[in-house]
Amino acid sequence: MEIARLSAAPEPATGATIVTRFAPSPTGFLHIGGARTALFNWLFARHHGGKFLLRIEDTDRARSTEPAIAAILDGMRWLGLDWDGEEVYQFARADRHAQVAHAMLESGHAYRCWMTQEEIAAQREAAQAAKQPYRIRSPWRDRNDGPLDQPHVVRIRAEREGATTIRDLVQGEVTVQNAELDDMVLLRSDGTPTYMLAVVVDDHDMGVTHVIRGDDHLNNAFRQLTIIRAMGWAEPTYAHIPLIHGADGAKLSKRHGALGVNDYRDDLGVLPEALFNHLLRLGWGHGDAEIIDREQAIEWFTLDGVGKSPSRFDLKKLDSLNGHYIRAADDARLAELAAKFLPFEPTPEQRDLLQRSMHALKPRAASLIEIANGAAFLFATRPLQIDADAEPLLEGPARELISQLHSALDAVADWNTEALEAAVREVAESAGVKLGAVAQPLRAALTGKRTSPGIYDVLFLLGRDESLSRIADQMTASPGA
């Protein structure tokens, strides 16, 4: 379809209530592109004090599933994208869609068509042979003498002269010649409505004023306008936003992180506020602001800030945002979320310890998984398993340092981080080595790893008895064991 574009149209000021909608198809989970579309619709409605509606487009009965519907609703709620009223299920409105098609038949804006699949295929082949775009040209467009008891479809009688222009809030003025629009099917031969008809009827009946969706639907807008104008309905304002690409500029796929929204929560340990912030910045901006919370987003969001170029989904940027929000999060909430990533069900005492450890764990974590992994030393059982890359830290001169550390720490009267730091530094000074030469073997003895939270926090969180027991284990362990 040949499309002419001009600059973006200004966002109109209106005193009427703005109504947006998100209309996912429940043939899969809520993916990143859909979540970003939902977010932009939600923000636009909330910014203007309007309504945000949710419609489940479940007309594809073979592919629509209850688990997918549940996942979409769950993902929306997790991101905090609450909708107004009850969600609408499109399939349940099939009779209403058919009613509109029959009204268009009566008004002459639609007609019955008995074209066979063979006739359609012949037209398509002829167009291909002539190297022309294929458009249905039905011999029944201007006839009404077909056999009503024989299978047939209902098609719209689209305008063939002139042009149609849409003033899109993102794409600007977009014009298509009407000759490029064909007489699309409204009702299939079994009487069921098509997607194109159902969308238009539902948007009208739900009072949708602004249709904000991916620019892959821009062509659909011109076809849908033929129904709207045939029915004499108010035309919605359109805003078609560019699609999301991967960090390399290629079409977004699973290798870029194009997972279901719930995968980011359940498999990657991402906080909802981090994904919210990242989705917001995919194609929209407000000056140089990068960290934008929910309230600020509602205040700032307008479609003027949406660019025309595809945005790029970057997992590294999401990790950075997630780390920011983890550091800002409440410790009790973080502990509850991180506990789900532990390889066991923690006891109340272990949950309490995890919460008390957050000050040490969250500064260096970019995900809830990293918090859970960083907390593993707290729940390890003795004798401690030493990672292969940590074993060299416990060999040679380190064994004598471990013995000295045990004596020094055993003498600490008040087990707090200040006193523990003083004791470890004293061992380093007495041995004439740098602090790292003492801290590294101590870390390996206490955690079994080369990296961990600060060593004084590790000692404090493990407590006197457990810390000294772990150090003693390494004093008696065979070299390289």
Side-chain angles (χ1 to χ4, degrees), residues 424-448:
V424 173
R425 288 186 177 278
E426 184 178 342
V427 170
E429 292 172 4
S430 298
V433 297
K434 292 183 178 180
L435 183 62
V438 176
Q440 281 295 78
L442 179 57
R443 175 174 287 105
L446 292 171
T447 69

Side-chain angles (χ1 to χ4, degrees), residues 151-154 187-194:
H152 61 277
V153 300
V154 173
L187 293 181
R188 302 181 184 91
S189 59
D190 62 359
T192 59
T194 60

Side-chain angles (χ1 to χ4, degrees), residues 76-90:
M76 294 276 288
R77 293 185 180 108
W78 180 67
L79 283 171
L81 305 182
D82 56 316
W83 54 95
D84 296 294
E86 295 294 322
E87 60 270 19
V88 172
Y89 290 86
Q90 192 170 71

Side-chain angles (χ1 to χ4, degrees), residues 120-430:
I120 293 174
Q123 280 194 9
R124 182 180 290 108
E125 291 170 4
Q128 291 173 346
K131 296 183 178 180
Q132 294 178 344
Y134 174 58
R135 301 286 184 270
I136 281 281
R137 290 295 181 259
S138 173
W140 299 97
R141 178 181 168 100
D142 298 312
R143 294 174 56 184
N144 58 7
D145 58 344
L148 293 179
D149 60 344
Q150 296 298 314
H152 61 277
V153 300
V154 173
R155 293 184 181 277
I156 192 165
R157 184 176 280 109
E159 290 285 342
R160 289 184 174 174
E161 304 297 327
T164 298
T165 296
I166 291 175
R167 288 179 56 80
D168 192 280
L169 295 184
V170 174
Q171 303 295 331
E173 282 196 0
V174 187
T175 299
V176 165
Q177 298 302 311
N178 289 336
E180 298 185 36
L181 303 174
D182 56 14
D183 294 351
M184 64 182 177
V185 173
L186 301 176
L187 293 181
R188 302 181 184 91
S189 59
D190 62 359
T192 59
T194 60
Y195 162 81
M196 297 293 276
L197 172 63
V199 167
V200 173
V201 176
D202 288 345
D203 280 349
H204 171 266
D205 289 359
M206 295 169 71
V208 173
T209 62
H210 291 71
V211 174
I212 304 170
R213 58 190 177 185
D215 63 8
D216 53 333
H217 287 281
L218 182 55
N219 286 347
N220 287 345
F222 292 94
R223 293 185 167 91
Q224 291 163 359
L225 271 176
T226 62
I227 301 173
I228 294 170
R229 291 174 178 177
M231 293 299 295
W233 291 342
E235 297 179 17
T237 300
Y238 290 102
H240 288 89
I241 56 182
L243 300 182
I244 302 172
H245 287 180
D248 58 359
K251 185 178 179 181
L252 190 64
S253 64
K254 287 188 176 180
R255 69 184 176 88
H256 298 109
L259 308 171
V261 164
N262 293 350
D263 293 327
Y264 290 90
R265 177 191 65 192
D266 300 334
D267 298 336
L268 300 183
V270 173
L271 294 179
E273 53 265 44
L275 189 57
F276 180 104
N277 195 153
H278 191 48
L279 291 174
L280 173 65
R281 293 287 290 113
L282 290 177
W284 178 87
H286 184 85
D288 296 327
E290 290 290 341
I291 306 295
I292 306 173
D293 64 25
R294 183 177 303 267
E295 291 72 24
Q296 193 68 77
I298 293 172
E299 179 182 343
W300 284 348
F301 189 85
T302 67
L303 292 171
D304 292 340
V306 178
K308 289 187 178 183
S309 301
S311 53
R312 298 194 177 192
F313 185 84
D314 190 335
L315 275 173
K316 290 183 179 179
K317 287 186 177 180
L318 177 58
D319 285 344
S320 177
L321 282 170
N322 205 39
H324 166 82
Y325 284 105
I326 281 176
R327 290 188 291 276
D330 174 74
D331 287 351
R333 176 191 173 216
L334 272 186
E336 180 181 356
L337 295 173
K340 298 174 183 177
F341 292 93
L342 294 174
F344 59 91
E345 179 62 31
T347 65
E349 292 76 14
Q350 290 171 325
R351 288 179 180 273
D352 179 67
L353 176 57
L354 184 60
Q355 180 175 331
R356 288 188 285 109
S357 304
M358 279 303 127
H359 74 281
L361 296 170
K362 69 181 185 180
R364 63 182 67 210
S367 73
L368 295 171
I369 293 175
E370 291 185 7
I371 289 180
N373 291 341
F377 77 92
L378 295 169
F379 312 114
T381 57
R382 297 174 41 229
L384 208 61
Q385 290 287 332
I386 307 298
D387 289 352
D389 63 346
E391 286 179 356
L393 299 175
L394 296 169
E395 298 173 353
R399 298 185 65 79
E400 175 58 29
L401 291 174
I402 288 292
S403 178
Q404 294 177 30
L405 283 165
H406 187 277
S407 298
L409 292 169
D410 191 27
V412 172
D414 190 1
W415 196 265
N416 58 59
T417 53
E418 292 79 8
L420 295 169
E421 180 178 358
V424 173
R425 288 186 177 278
E426 184 178 342
V427 170
E429 292 172 4
S430 298

